[in-house]
Amino acid sequence: RNVLVVGDGPGNSPSADDRPGYIDIWWRGAGANGSFMLAIAFLLGRDRFARSRPLRVNMIIHRRTPEEARSELAQFLSSARVKAETRVIDSNGRPFTEIIAENSSDAALTFVGLRTPRPDEPTASYADYFALLSSGLADVSAPVFVLAAENIDFRRIFQ
């Protein structure tokens, strides 16, 4: 099962439909979240809200080189035949919520992947993780938190 949680950001209001901005996808480059978020953004592109908003795929790096990340993003978007701006941002030890909030300040809609709960992780611990993430992104316009089912390869949708 896939999960989408629409956060309560400042962009979730009727007047937000008229606001310009990007549709941002924040992807770590692993798992199915990125492909699922791209599929949803692609489908949204058919809607009046998203049609005039450019798609931007963002990746925060801390262990790989910017060149590797750019190459991975370019290859994936090319194979998916999806046009999107890409940004690779080195974390430099900063919290990723801070980086997302800063770099998605001009976004009309922001997709953020959730990590998969660990097999032995108590529900309360995962709830704490989600609460920390959503509070760190409280000022992000229309955040959508995404957790894709692990057993579905959403990359195949675009091939």
Side-chain angles (χ1 to χ4, degrees), residues 20-36:
Y22 290 88
I23 294 178
D24 270 355
I25 294 174
W26 287 90
W27 183 33
R28 288 183 302 228
N33 283 347
S35 300
F36 185 43

Side-chain angles (χ1 to χ4, degrees), residues 3-20:
V3 178
L4 293 169
V5 178
V6 179
D8 192 22
N12 290 345
S13 67
S15 63
D17 281 348
D18 299 325
R19 203 173 89 106

Side-chain angles (χ1 to χ4, degrees), residues 16-119:
D17 281 348
D18 299 325
R19 203 173 89 106
Y22 290 88
I23 294 178
D24 270 355
I25 294 174
W26 287 90
W27 183 33
R28 288 183 302 228
N33 283 347
S35 300
F36 185 43
M37 290 185 287
L38 188 60
I40 293 167
F42 178 78
L43 291 171
L44 277 175
R46 300 173 186 263
D47 181 72
R48 178 183 63 82
F49 172 81
R51 209 172 327 191
S52 63
R53 291 170 172 85
L55 182 61
R56 189 165 57 186
V57 180
N58 306 280
M59 183 182 286
I60 300 171
I61 59 169
H62 47 271
R63 289 196 180 110
R64 63 173 88 176
T65 68
E67 294 77 22
E68 290 171 334
R70 282 188 194 96
S71 175
E72 182 179 353
L73 286 171
Q75 182 179 14
F76 175 57
L77 291 171
S78 174
S79 69
R81 296 181 301 275
V82 172
K83 291 182 182 178
E85 180 182 326
T86 59
R87 293 191 302 179
V88 174
I89 301 155
D90 195 328
S91 70
N92 292 320
R94 294 172 45 208
F96 62 89
T97 52
E98 180 182 308
I99 296 167
I100 293 170
E102 177 183 305
N103 287 279
S104 283
S105 62
D106 58 348
L109 186 63
T110 305
F111 289 97
V112 178
L114 295 171
R115 69 168 174 79
T116 303
R118 292 180 218 98

